[in-house]
Each structure stands twice: as C-alpha cells, then as structure tokens.
PDB file of all heavy atoms in Angstrom:
ATOM      1  N   GLN A   1       0.820  -1.207   0.000  1.00  0.00           N
ATOM      2  CA  GLN A   1       0.000   0.000   0.000  1.00  0.00           C
ATOM      3  C   GLN A   1       0.856   1.261   0.000  1.00  0.00           C
ATOM      4  O   GLN A   1       0.519   2.260  -0.654  1.00  0.00           O
ATOM      5  CB  GLN A   1      -0.923   0.009   1.221  1.00  0.00           C
ATOM      6  CG  GLN A   1      -1.973  -1.082   1.207  1.00  0.00           C
ATOM      7  CD  GLN A   1      -3.123  -0.756   0.275  1.00  0.00           C
ATOM      8  OE1 GLN A   1      -3.024   0.125  -0.575  1.00  0.00           O
ATOM      9  NE2 GLN A   1      -4.223  -1.463   0.409  1.00  0.00           N
ATOM     10  N   LYS A   2       1.967   1.225   0.710  1.00  0.00           N
ATOM     11  CA  LYS A   2       2.864   2.378   0.732  1.00  0.00           C
ATOM     12  C   LYS A   2       3.389   2.676  -0.674  1.00  0.00           C
ATOM     13  O   LYS A   2       3.427   3.836  -1.103  1.00  0.00           O
ATOM     14  CB  LYS A   2       4.029   2.116   1.680  1.00  0.00           C
ATOM     15  CG  LYS A   2       5.043   3.249   1.714  1.00  0.00           C
ATOM     16  CD  LYS A   2       6.263   2.882   2.538  1.00  0.00           C
ATOM     17  CE  LYS A   2       7.308   4.001   2.500  1.00  0.00           C
ATOM     18  NZ  LYS A   2       8.541   3.628   3.225  1.00  0.00           N
ATOM     19  N   ALA A   3       3.806   1.620  -1.391  1.00  0.00           N
ATOM     20  CA  ALA A   3       4.332   1.811  -2.748  1.00  0.00           C
ATOM     21  C   ALA A   3       3.260   2.382  -3.669  1.00  0.00           C
ATOM     22  O   ALA A   3       3.531   3.287  -4.468  1.00  0.00           O
ATOM     23  CB  ALA A   3       4.863   0.489  -3.291  1.00  0.00           C
ATOM     24  N   VAL A   4       2.035   1.863  -3.578  1.00  0.00           N
ATOM     25  CA  VAL A   4       0.950   2.350  -4.428  1.00  0.00           C
ATOM     26  C   VAL A   4       0.728   3.842  -4.215  1.00  0.00           C
ATOM     27  O   VAL A   4       0.616   4.628  -5.170  1.00  0.00           O
ATOM     28  CB  VAL A   4      -0.352   1.567  -4.156  1.00  0.00           C
ATOM     29  CG1 VAL A   4      -1.537   2.221  -4.872  1.00  0.00           C
ATOM     30  CG2 VAL A   4      -0.212   0.123  -4.605  1.00  0.00           C
ATOM     31  N   LYS A   5       0.701   4.239  -2.955  1.00  0.00           N
ATOM     32  CA  LYS A   5       0.416   5.641  -2.638  1.00  0.00           C
ATOM     33  C   LYS A   5       1.606   6.539  -2.968  1.00  0.00           C
ATOM     34  O   LYS A   5       1.449   7.580  -3.627  1.00  0.00           O
ATOM     35  CB  LYS A   5       0.056   5.768  -1.161  1.00  0.00           C
ATOM     36  CG  LYS A   5      -0.327   7.187  -0.765  1.00  0.00           C
ATOM     37  CD  LYS A   5      -0.723   7.270   0.700  1.00  0.00           C
ATOM     38  CE  LYS A   5      -1.142   8.698   1.071  1.00  0.00           C
ATOM     39  NZ  LYS A   5      -1.498   8.820   2.503  1.00  0.00           N
ATOM     40  N   ALA A   6       2.806   6.143  -2.524  1.00  0.00           N
ATOM     41  CA  ALA A   6       3.980   6.997  -2.686  1.00  0.00           C
ATOM     42  C   ALA A   6       4.383   7.152  -4.151  1.00  0.00           C
ATOM     43  O   ALA A   6       4.862   8.212  -4.562  1.00  0.00           O
ATOM     44  CB  ALA A   6       5.147   6.434  -1.870  1.00  0.00           C
ATOM     45  N   TRP A   7       4.191   6.102  -4.949  1.00  0.00           N
ATOM     46  CA  TRP A   7       4.628   6.131  -6.345  1.00  0.00           C
ATOM     47  C   TRP A   7       3.507   6.440  -7.322  1.00  0.00           C
ATOM     48  O   TRP A   7       3.722   6.460  -8.534  1.00  0.00           O
ATOM     49  CB  TRP A   7       5.277   4.793  -6.722  1.00  0.00           C
ATOM     50  CG  TRP A   7       6.483   4.461  -5.890  1.00  0.00           C
ATOM     51  CD1 TRP A   7       7.218   5.310  -5.116  1.00  0.00           C
ATOM     52  CD2 TRP A   7       7.075   3.174  -5.740  1.00  0.00           C
ATOM     53  NE1 TRP A   7       8.240   4.631  -4.497  1.00  0.00           N
ATOM     54  CE2 TRP A   7       8.181   3.317  -4.863  1.00  0.00           C
ATOM     55  CE3 TRP A   7       6.792   1.908  -6.263  1.00  0.00           C
ATOM     56  CZ2 TRP A   7       8.992   2.249  -4.494  1.00  0.00           C
ATOM     57  CZ3 TRP A   7       7.596   0.834  -5.905  1.00  0.00           C
ATOM     58  CH2 TRP A   7       8.686   1.011  -5.021  1.00  0.00           C
ATOM     59  N   GLY A   8       2.294   6.657  -6.808  1.00  0.00           N
ATOM     60  CA  GLY A   8       1.171   6.988  -7.687  1.00  0.00           C
ATOM     61  C   GLY A   8       0.869   5.884  -8.680  1.00  0.00           C
ATOM     62  O   GLY A   8       0.753   6.131  -9.884  1.00  0.00           O
ATOM     63  N   MET A   9       0.694   4.656  -8.174  1.00  0.00           N
ATOM     64  CA  MET A   9       0.549   3.488  -9.041  1.00  0.00           C
ATOM     65  C   MET A   9      -0.895   3.221  -9.462  1.00  0.00           C
ATOM     66  O   MET A   9      -1.168   2.208 -10.114  1.00  0.00           O
ATOM     67  CB  MET A   9       1.085   2.235  -8.333  1.00  0.00           C
ATOM     68  CG  MET A   9       2.539   2.279  -7.935  1.00  0.00           C
ATOM     69  SD  MET A   9       3.690   2.376  -9.329  1.00  0.00           S
ATOM     70  CE  MET A   9       3.311   0.876 -10.219  1.00  0.00           C
ATOM     71  N   GLU A  10      -1.828   4.110  -9.106  1.00  0.00           N
ATOM     72  CA  GLU A  10      -3.245   3.792  -9.312  1.00  0.00           C
ATOM     73  C   GLU A  10      -3.578   3.486 -10.765  1.00  0.00           C
ATOM     74  O   GLU A  10      -4.262   2.496 -11.068  1.00  0.00           O
ATOM     75  CB  GLU A  10      -4.129   4.947  -8.803  1.00  0.00           C
ATOM     76  CG  GLU A  10      -4.085   5.146  -7.299  1.00  0.00           C
ATOM     77  CD  GLU A  10      -2.955   6.052  -6.843  1.00  0.00           C
ATOM     78  OE1 GLU A  10      -2.164   6.526  -7.696  1.00  0.00           O
ATOM     79  OE2 GLU A  10      -2.857   6.309  -5.631  1.00  0.00           O
ATOM     80  N   ARG A  11      -3.116   4.335 -11.686  1.00  0.00           N
ATOM     81  CA  ARG A  11      -3.458   4.100 -13.089  1.00  0.00           C
ATOM     82  C   ARG A  11      -2.717   2.876 -13.627  1.00  0.00           C
ATOM     83  O   ARG A  11      -3.243   2.147 -14.459  1.00  0.00           O
ATOM     84  CB  ARG A  11      -3.154   5.331 -13.940  1.00  0.00           C
ATOM     85  CG  ARG A  11      -3.642   5.169 -15.374  1.00  0.00           C
ATOM     86  CD  ARG A  11      -3.807   6.477 -16.099  1.00  0.00           C
ATOM     87  NE  ARG A  11      -4.399   6.254 -17.415  1.00  0.00           N
ATOM     88  CZ  ARG A  11      -4.724   7.222 -18.251  1.00  0.00           C
ATOM     89  NH1 ARG A  11      -4.556   8.483 -17.903  1.00  0.00           N
ATOM     90  NH2 ARG A  11      -5.245   6.951 -19.426  1.00  0.00           N
ATOM     91  N   ASP A  12      -1.514   2.657 -13.153  1.00  0.00           N
ATOM     92  CA  ASP A  12      -0.782   1.454 -13.568  1.00  0.00           C
ATOM     93  C   ASP A  12      -1.570   0.203 -13.189  1.00  0.00           C
ATOM     94  O   ASP A  12      -1.686  -0.738 -13.987  1.00  0.00           O
ATOM     95  CB  ASP A  12       0.593   1.412 -12.905  1.00  0.00           C
ATOM     96  CG  ASP A  12       1.462   2.596 -13.277  1.00  0.00           C
ATOM     97  OD1 ASP A  12       1.202   3.702 -12.775  1.00  0.00           O
ATOM     98  OD2 ASP A  12       2.390   2.426 -14.075  1.00  0.00           O
ATOM     99  N   LEU A  13      -2.116   0.182 -11.971  1.00  0.00           N
ATOM    100  CA  LEU A  13      -2.837  -0.996 -11.496  1.00  0.00           C
ATOM    101  C   LEU A  13      -4.147  -1.211 -12.237  1.00  0.00           C
ATOM    102  O   LEU A  13      -4.686  -2.326 -12.237  1.00  0.00           O
ATOM    103  CB  LEU A  13      -3.098  -0.880  -9.991  1.00  0.00           C
ATOM    104  CG  LEU A  13      -1.868  -1.070  -9.102  1.00  0.00           C
ATOM    105  CD1 LEU A  13      -2.209  -0.758  -7.653  1.00  0.00           C
ATOM    106  CD2 LEU A  13      -1.318  -2.489  -9.227  1.00  0.00           C
ATOM    107  N   GLN A  14      -4.674  -0.170 -12.852  1.00  0.00           N
ATOM    108  CA  GLN A  14      -5.874  -0.360 -13.664  1.00  0.00           C
ATOM    109  C   GLN A  14      -5.663  -1.420 -14.742  1.00  0.00           C
ATOM    110  O   GLN A  14      -6.607  -2.099 -15.153  1.00  0.00           O
ATOM    111  CB  GLN A  14      -6.276   0.957 -14.336  1.00  0.00           C
ATOM    112  CG  GLN A  14      -6.839   1.996 -13.408  1.00  0.00           C
ATOM    113  CD  GLN A  14      -7.197   3.267 -14.150  1.00  0.00           C
ATOM    114  OE1 GLN A  14      -6.925   3.402 -15.341  1.00  0.00           O
ATOM    115  NE2 GLN A  14      -7.799   4.212 -13.457  1.00  0.00           N
ATOM    116  N   GLN A  15      -4.424  -1.556 -15.207  1.00  0.00           N
ATOM    117  CA  GLN A  15      -4.144  -2.519 -16.264  1.00  0.00           C
ATOM    118  C   GLN A  15      -4.448  -3.953 -15.828  1.00  0.00           C
ATOM    119  O   GLN A  15      -4.624  -4.836 -16.669  1.00  0.00           O
ATOM    120  CB  GLN A  15      -2.668  -2.426 -16.682  1.00  0.00           C
ATOM    121  CG  GLN A  15      -2.243  -1.050 -17.162  1.00  0.00           C
ATOM    122  CD  GLN A  15      -3.062  -0.591 -18.358  1.00  0.00           C
ATOM    123  OE1 GLN A  15      -3.139  -1.290 -19.365  1.00  0.00           O
ATOM    124  NE2 GLN A  15      -3.691   0.561 -18.244  1.00  0.00           N
ATOM    125  N   LYS A  16      -4.521  -4.187 -14.541  1.00  0.00           N
ATOM    126  CA  LYS A  16      -4.750  -5.546 -14.033  1.00  0.00           C
ATOM    127  C   LYS A  16      -6.213  -5.806 -13.690  1.00  0.00           C
ATOM    128  O   LYS A  16      -6.570  -6.933 -13.354  1.00  0.00           O
ATOM    129  CB  LYS A  16      -3.893  -5.797 -12.793  1.00  0.00           C
ATOM    130  CG  LYS A  16      -2.406  -5.462 -12.948  1.00  0.00           C
ATOM    131  CD  LYS A  16      -1.779  -6.098 -14.166  1.00  0.00           C
ATOM    132  CE  LYS A  16      -1.724  -7.610 -14.122  1.00  0.00           C
ATOM    133  NZ  LYS A  16      -1.062  -8.173 -15.330  1.00  0.00           N
ATOM    134  N   LEU A  17      -7.067  -4.790 -13.751  1.00  0.00           N
ATOM    135  CA  LEU A  17      -8.465  -4.970 -13.363  1.00  0.00           C
ATOM    136  C   LEU A  17      -9.221  -5.845 -14.354  1.00  0.00           C
ATOM    137  O   LEU A  17      -9.051  -5.738 -15.562  1.00  0.00           O
ATOM    138  CB  LEU A  17      -9.172  -3.614 -13.276  1.00  0.00           C
ATOM    139  CG  LEU A  17      -8.737  -2.668 -12.148  1.00  0.00           C
ATOM    140  CD1 LEU A  17      -9.496  -1.351 -12.271  1.00  0.00           C
ATOM    141  CD2 LEU A  17      -8.970  -3.287 -10.782  1.00  0.00           C
ATOM    142  N   LYS A  18     -10.079  -6.694 -13.808  1.00  0.00           N
ATOM    143  CA  LYS A  18     -10.971  -7.521 -14.613  1.00  0.00           C
ATOM    144  C   LYS A  18     -12.380  -6.938 -14.582  1.00  0.00           C
ATOM    145  O   LYS A  18     -12.634  -5.924 -13.943  1.00  0.00           O
ATOM    146  CB  LYS A  18     -10.955  -8.972 -14.105  1.00  0.00           C
ATOM    147  CG  LYS A  18      -9.551  -9.587 -14.074  1.00  0.00           C
ATOM    148  CD  LYS A  18      -8.864  -9.507 -15.419  1.00  0.00           C
ATOM    149  CE  LYS A  18      -7.453 -10.037 -15.378  1.00  0.00           C
ATOM    150  NZ  LYS A  18      -6.725  -9.814 -16.643  1.00  0.00           N
ATOM    151  N   SER A  19     -13.310  -7.598 -15.252  1.00  0.00           N
ATOM    152  CA  SER A  19     -14.656  -7.036 -15.413  1.00  0.00           C
ATOM    153  C   SER A  19     -15.383  -6.857 -14.090  1.00  0.00           C
ATOM    154  O   SER A  19     -16.315  -6.054 -13.994  1.00  0.00           O
ATOM    155  CB  SER A  19     -15.489  -7.937 -16.334  1.00  0.00           C
ATOM    156  OG  SER A  19     -15.596  -9.246 -15.800  1.00  0.00           O
ATOM    157  N   ASP A  20     -14.961  -7.575 -13.051  1.00  0.00           N
ATOM    158  CA  ASP A  20     -15.592  -7.429 -11.742  1.00  0.00           C
ATOM    159  C   ASP A  20     -14.981  -6.296 -10.929  1.00  0.00           C
ATOM    160  O   ASP A  20     -15.335  -6.101  -9.761  1.00  0.00           O
ATOM    161  CB  ASP A  20     -15.527  -8.735 -10.954  1.00  0.00           C
ATOM    162  CG  ASP A  20     -14.101  -9.240 -10.760  1.00  0.00           C
ATOM    163  OD1 ASP A  20     -13.152  -8.538 -11.160  1.00  0.00           O
ATOM    164  OD2 ASP A  20     -13.933 -10.354 -10.214  1.00  0.00           O
ATOM    165  N   GLY A  21     -14.041  -5.540 -11.540  1.00  0.00           N
ATOM    166  CA  GLY A  21     -13.423  -4.438 -10.828  1.00  0.00           C
ATOM    167  C   GLY A  21     -12.349  -4.866  -9.855  1.00  0.00           C
ATOM    168  O   GLY A  21     -11.902  -4.062  -9.039  1.00  0.00           O
ATOM    169  N   LYS A  22     -11.907  -6.129  -9.954  1.00  0.00           N
ATOM    170  CA  LYS A  22     -10.882  -6.650  -9.056  1.00  0.00           C
ATOM    171  C   LYS A  22      -9.662  -7.078  -9.861  1.00  0.00           C
ATOM    172  O   LYS A  22      -9.733  -7.249 -11.071  1.00  0.00           O
ATOM    173  CB  LYS A  22     -11.416  -7.856  -8.264  1.00  0.00           C
ATOM    174  CG  LYS A  22     -12.643  -7.531  -7.427  1.00  0.00           C
ATOM    175  CD  LYS A  22     -13.149  -8.764  -6.690  1.00  0.00           C
ATOM    176  CE  LYS A  22     -14.397  -8.423  -5.878  1.00  0.00           C
ATOM    177  NZ  LYS A  22     -14.861  -9.597  -5.071  1.00  0.00           N
ATOM    178  N   TYR A  23      -8.538  -7.254  -9.167  1.00  0.00           N
ATOM    179  CA  TYR A  23      -7.381  -7.846  -9.832  1.00  0.00           C
ATOM    180  C   TYR A  23      -6.916  -9.072  -9.068  1.00  0.00           C
ATOM    181  O   TYR A  23      -7.196  -9.233  -7.871  1.00  0.00           O
ATOM    182  CB  TYR A  23      -6.258  -6.848 -10.082  1.00  0.00           C
ATOM    183  CG  TYR A  23      -5.686  -6.111  -8.898  1.00  0.00           C
ATOM    184  CD1 TYR A  23      -4.714  -6.669  -8.078  1.00  0.00           C
ATOM    185  CD2 TYR A  23      -6.070  -4.794  -8.639  1.00  0.00           C
ATOM    186  CE1 TYR A  23      -4.156  -5.971  -7.028  1.00  0.00           C
ATOM    187  CE2 TYR A  23      -5.517  -4.087  -7.590  1.00  0.00           C
ATOM    188  CZ  TYR A  23      -4.557  -4.670  -6.782  1.00  0.00           C
ATOM    189  OH  TYR A  23      -4.011  -3.965  -5.744  1.00  0.00           O
ATOM    190  N   TYR A  24      -6.215  -9.960  -9.792  1.00  0.00           N
ATOM    191  CA  TYR A  24      -5.949 -11.310  -9.309  1.00  0.00           C
ATOM    192  C   TYR A  24      -4.462 -11.641  -9.249  1.00  0.00           C
ATOM    193  O   TYR A  24      -4.100 -12.803  -9.092  1.00  0.00           O
ATOM    194  CB  TYR A  24      -6.673 -12.324 -10.198  1.00  0.00           C
ATOM    195  CG  TYR A  24      -8.179 -12.283 -10.035  1.00  0.00           C
ATOM    196  CD1 TYR A  24      -8.937 -11.247 -10.582  1.00  0.00           C
ATOM    197  CD2 TYR A  24      -8.854 -13.264  -9.319  1.00  0.00           C
ATOM    198  CE1 TYR A  24     -10.312 -11.188 -10.419  1.00  0.00           C
ATOM    199  CE2 TYR A  24     -10.236 -13.222  -9.156  1.00  0.00           C
ATOM    200  CZ  TYR A  24     -10.958 -12.183  -9.709  1.00  0.00           C
ATOM    201  OH  TYR A  24     -12.324 -12.126  -9.529  1.00  0.00           O
ATOM    202  N   VAL A  25      -3.632 -10.628  -9.371  1.00  0.00           N
ATOM    203  CA  VAL A  25      -2.196 -10.845  -9.277  1.00  0.00           C
ATOM    204  C   VAL A  25      -1.584  -9.646  -8.562  1.00  0.00           C
ATOM    205  O   VAL A  25      -2.062  -8.519  -8.702  1.00  0.00           O
ATOM    206  CB  VAL A  25      -1.557 -11.018 -10.672  1.00  0.00           C
ATOM    207  CG1 VAL A  25      -1.654  -9.748 -11.485  1.00  0.00           C
ATOM    208  CG2 VAL A  25      -0.125 -11.500 -10.584  1.00  0.00           C
ATOM    209  N   LEU A  26      -0.570  -9.912  -7.746  1.00  0.00           N
ATOM    210  CA  LEU A  26       0.206  -8.853  -7.119  1.00  0.00           C
ATOM    211  C   LEU A  26       1.377  -8.547  -8.047  1.00  0.00           C
ATOM    212  O   LEU A  26       2.351  -9.301  -8.077  1.00  0.00           O
ATOM    213  CB  LEU A  26       0.720  -9.303  -5.749  1.00  0.00           C
ATOM    214  CG  LEU A  26      -0.336  -9.508  -4.662  1.00  0.00           C
ATOM    215  CD1 LEU A  26       0.257 -10.297  -3.498  1.00  0.00           C
ATOM    216  CD2 LEU A  26      -0.890  -8.162  -4.194  1.00  0.00           C
ATOM    217  N   PRO A  27       1.312  -7.474  -8.805  1.00  0.00           N
ATOM    218  CA  PRO A  27       2.373  -7.235  -9.788  1.00  0.00           C
ATOM    219  C   PRO A  27       3.633  -6.684  -9.134  1.00  0.00           C
ATOM    220  O   PRO A  27       3.573  -6.012  -8.097  1.00  0.00           O
ATOM    221  CB  PRO A  27       1.745  -6.192 -10.722  1.00  0.00           C
ATOM    222  CG  PRO A  27       0.802  -5.441  -9.834  1.00  0.00           C
ATOM    223  CD  PRO A  27       0.265  -6.436  -8.852  1.00  0.00           C
ATOM    224  N   GLY A  28       4.770  -6.967  -9.756  1.00  0.00           N
ATOM    225  CA  GLY A  28       5.974  -6.256  -9.376  1.00  0.00           C
ATOM    226  C   GLY A  28       5.796  -4.800  -9.755  1.00  0.00           C
ATOM    227  O   GLY A  28       5.345  -4.484 -10.860  1.00  0.00           O
ATOM    228  N   MET A  29       6.107  -3.888  -8.838  1.00  0.00           N
ATOM    229  CA  MET A  29       5.896  -2.463  -9.084  1.00  0.00           C
ATOM    230  C   MET A  29       7.230  -1.726  -8.983  1.00  0.00           C
ATOM    231  O   MET A  29       7.948  -1.858  -7.992  1.00  0.00           O
ATOM    232  CB  MET A  29       4.916  -1.873  -8.066  1.00  0.00           C
ATOM    233  CG  MET A  29       3.520  -2.443  -8.153  1.00  0.00           C
ATOM    234  SD  MET A  29       2.327  -1.549  -7.104  1.00  0.00           S
ATOM    235  CE  MET A  29       2.935  -1.923  -5.460  1.00  0.00           C
ATOM    236  N   TRP A  30       7.537  -0.948 -10.019  1.00  0.00           N
ATOM    237  CA  TRP A  30       8.740  -0.124 -10.033  1.00  0.00           C
ATOM    238  C   TRP A  30       8.352   1.338  -9.840  1.00  0.00           C
ATOM    239  O   TRP A  30       7.366   1.802 -10.407  1.00  0.00           O
ATOM    240  CB  TRP A  30       9.484  -0.275 -11.350  1.00  0.00           C
ATOM    241  CG  TRP A  30      10.134  -1.606 -11.550  1.00  0.00           C
ATOM    242  CD1 TRP A  30       9.702  -2.613 -12.358  1.00  0.00           C
ATOM    243  CD2 TRP A  30      11.344  -2.072 -10.935  1.00  0.00           C
ATOM    244  NE1 TRP A  30      10.574  -3.685 -12.292  1.00  0.00           N
ATOM    245  CE2 TRP A  30      11.592  -3.374 -11.424  1.00  0.00           C
ATOM    246  CE3 TRP A  30      12.245  -1.504 -10.027  1.00  0.00           C
ATOM    247  CZ2 TRP A  30      12.693  -4.120 -11.026  1.00  0.00           C
ATOM    248  CZ3 TRP A  30      13.342  -2.254  -9.626  1.00  0.00           C
ATOM    249  CH2 TRP A  30      13.561  -3.543 -10.128  1.00  0.00           C
ATOM    250  N   GLU A  31       9.149   2.058  -9.072  1.00  0.00           N
ATOM    251  CA  GLU A  31       8.895   3.478  -8.871  1.00  0.00           C
ATOM    252  C   GLU A  31       8.955   4.247 -10.187  1.00  0.00           C
ATOM    253  O   GLU A  31       8.186   5.184 -10.406  1.00  0.00           O
ATOM    254  CB  GLU A  31       9.909   4.055  -7.882  1.00  0.00           C
ATOM    255  CG  GLU A  31       9.692   5.521  -7.566  1.00  0.00           C
ATOM    256  CD  GLU A  31      10.705   6.070  -6.578  1.00  0.00           C
ATOM    257  OE1 GLU A  31      11.649   5.345  -6.192  1.00  0.00           O
ATOM    258  OE2 GLU A  31      10.555   7.248  -6.183  1.00  0.00           O
ATOM    259  N   SER A  32       9.843   3.841 -11.075  1.00  0.00           N
ATOM    260  CA  SER A  32       9.972   4.497 -12.378  1.00  0.00           C
ATOM    261  C   SER A  32      10.180   3.432 -13.449  1.00  0.00           C
ATOM    262  O   SER A  32      10.691   2.345 -13.152  1.00  0.00           O
ATOM    263  CB  SER A  32      11.141   5.474 -12.381  1.00  0.00           C
ATOM    264  OG  SER A  32      12.350   4.823 -12.040  1.00  0.00           O
ATOM    265  N   PRO A  33       9.765   3.716 -14.698  1.00  0.00           N
ATOM    266  CA  PRO A  33       9.933   2.711 -15.755  1.00  0.00           C
ATOM    267  C   PRO A  33      11.393   2.512 -16.111  1.00  0.00           C
ATOM    268  O   PRO A  33      12.239   3.384 -15.859  1.00  0.00           O
ATOM    269  CB  PRO A  33       9.146   3.304 -16.935  1.00  0.00           C
ATOM    270  CG  PRO A  33       9.120   4.773 -16.671  1.00  0.00           C
ATOM    271  CD  PRO A  33       9.095   4.931 -15.185  1.00  0.00           C
ATOM    272  N   GLY A  34      11.691   1.386 -16.702  1.00  0.00           N
ATOM    273  CA  GLY A  34      13.058   1.083 -17.104  1.00  0.00           C
ATOM    274  C   GLY A  34      13.377   1.635 -18.487  1.00  0.00           C
ATOM    275  O   GLY A  34      12.550   2.277 -19.137  1.00  0.00           O
ATOM    276  N   ALA A  35      14.596   1.349 -18.918  1.00  0.00           N
ATOM    277  CA  ALA A  35      15.042   1.874 -20.207  1.00  0.00           C
ATOM    278  C   ALA A  35      14.578   1.007 -21.369  1.00  0.00           C
ATOM    279  O   ALA A  35      14.312   1.498 -22.458  1.00  0.00           O
ATOM    280  CB  ALA A  35      16.562   1.991 -20.208  1.00  0.00           C
ATOM    281  N   GLY A  36      14.511  -0.296 -21.161  1.00  0.00           N
ATOM    282  CA  GLY A  36      14.017  -1.191 -22.191  1.00  0.00           C
ATOM    283  C   GLY A  36      15.002  -1.418 -23.328  1.00  0.00           C
ATOM    284  O   GLY A  36      16.200  -1.157 -23.233  1.00  0.00           O
ATOM    285  N   TYR A  37      14.463  -1.924 -24.430  1.00  0.00           N
ATOM    286  CA  TYR A  37      15.264  -2.291 -25.601  1.00  0.00           C
ATOM    287  C   TYR A  37      15.478  -1.092 -26.523  1.00  0.00           C
ATOM    288  O   TYR A  37      14.635  -0.216 -26.642  1.00  0.00           O
ATOM    289  CB  TYR A  37      14.591  -3.412 -26.385  1.00  0.00           C
ATOM    290  CG  TYR A  37      14.756  -4.761 -25.745  1.00  0.00           C
ATOM    291  CD1 TYR A  37      13.976  -5.132 -24.655  1.00  0.00           C
ATOM    292  CD2 TYR A  37      15.705  -5.668 -26.215  1.00  0.00           C
ATOM    293  CE1 TYR A  37      14.128  -6.369 -24.051  1.00  0.00           C
ATOM    294  CE2 TYR A  37      15.865  -6.909 -25.622  1.00  0.00           C
ATOM    295  CZ  TYR A  37      15.074  -7.248 -24.534  1.00  0.00           C
ATOM    296  OH  TYR A  37      15.240  -8.478 -23.937  1.00  0.00           O
ATOM    297  N   SER A  38      16.631  -1.087 -27.154  1.00  0.00           N
ATOM    298  CA  SER A  38      16.934  -0.080 -28.160  1.00  0.00           C
ATOM    299  C   SER A  38      17.928  -0.690 -29.144  1.00  0.00           C
ATOM    300  O   SER A  38      17.974  -1.917 -29.312  1.00  0.00           O
ATOM    301  CB  SER A  38      17.509   1.184 -27.510  1.00  0.00           C
ATOM    302  OG  SER A  38      17.683   2.203 -28.478  1.00  0.00           O
ATOM    303  N   TYR A  39      18.729   0.158 -29.763  1.00  0.00           N
ATOM    304  CA  TYR A  39      19.719  -0.293 -30.740  1.00  0.00           C
ATOM    305  C   TYR A  39      21.119  -0.154 -30.147  1.00  0.00           C
ATOM    306  O   TYR A  39      21.526   0.935 -29.728  1.00  0.00           O
ATOM    307  CB  TYR A  39      19.615   0.535 -32.026  1.00  0.00           C
ATOM    308  CG  TYR A  39      18.245   0.490 -32.658  1.00  0.00           C
ATOM    309  CD1 TYR A  39      17.353   1.549 -32.487  1.00  0.00           C
ATOM    310  CD2 TYR A  39      17.830  -0.604 -33.399  1.00  0.00           C
ATOM    311  CE1 TYR A  39      16.096   1.519 -33.054  1.00  0.00           C
ATOM    312  CE2 TYR A  39      16.575  -0.647 -33.975  1.00  0.00           C
ATOM    313  CZ  TYR A  39      15.711   0.418 -33.796  1.00  0.00           C
ATOM    314  OH  TYR A  39      14.454   0.383 -34.356  1.00  0.00           O
ATOM    315  N   MET A  40      21.826  -1.259 -30.095  1.00  0.00           N
ATOM    316  CA  MET A  40      23.228  -1.269 -29.688  1.00  0.00           C
ATOM    317  C   MET A  40      24.067  -1.033 -30.940  1.00  0.00           C
ATOM    318  O   MET A  40      23.945  -1.761 -31.920  1.00  0.00           O
ATOM    319  CB  MET A  40      23.566  -2.623 -29.059  1.00  0.00           C
ATOM    320  CG  MET A  40      25.031  -2.825 -28.729  1.00  0.00           C
ATOM    321  SD  MET A  40      25.313  -4.397 -27.853  1.00  0.00           S
ATOM    322  CE  MET A  40      24.833  -5.605 -29.110  1.00  0.00           C
ATOM    323  N   ILE A  41      24.890   0.009 -30.917  1.00  0.00           N
ATOM    324  CA  ILE A  41      25.639   0.375 -32.116  1.00  0.00           C
ATOM    325  C   ILE A  41      27.148   0.275 -31.878  1.00  0.00           C
ATOM    326  O   ILE A  41      27.614   0.303 -30.745  1.00  0.00           O
ATOM    327  CB  ILE A  41      25.295   1.801 -32.598  1.00  0.00           C
ATOM    328  CG1 ILE A  41      25.871   2.855 -31.629  1.00  0.00           C
ATOM    329  CG2 ILE A  41      23.801   1.982 -32.773  1.00  0.00           C
ATOM    330  CD1 ILE A  41      25.838   4.270 -32.165  1.00  0.00           C
TER     331      ILE A  41
END
C-alpha cells in the first residue's frame, strides 16, 4: 500500500483490473519505468 500511494501506481494498477473491478495478481511495481530495448551500435 505504501508503494501504491507513494509512487502513484493507481493508473498502472488499472491494467490488471478484470470485469468485476478486481485484480488477481500482485504485480511487481517499479517506482519508475526502465530503459528497455533499443539499438546497440
């Protein structure tokens, strides 16, 4: 709960909601997004 509130994860967690308005997995939560894939030159 601290992470959700401190990092503003509410909209992120919407991605896990099902039609009943609930979610069924505890996702790993990062304070900030990662860099991801790009082009190594």
Side-chain angles (χ1 to χ4, degrees):
Q1 294 283 16
K2 178 187 177 184
V4 171
K5 183 178 182 182
W7 300 343
M9 300 296 300
E10 293 87 359
R11 186 160 186 177
D12 299 74
L13 287 173
Q14 289 179 354
Q15 302 301 305
K16 309 309 295 182
L17 292 177
K18 304 305 177 187
S19 59
D20 57 5
K22 301 179 181 184
Y23 57 83
Y24 290 75
V25 66
L26 292 165
M29 296 189 294
W30 290 105
E31 182 180 5
S32 57
Y37 283 78
S38 185
Y39 303 101
M40 174 175 64
I41 71 168

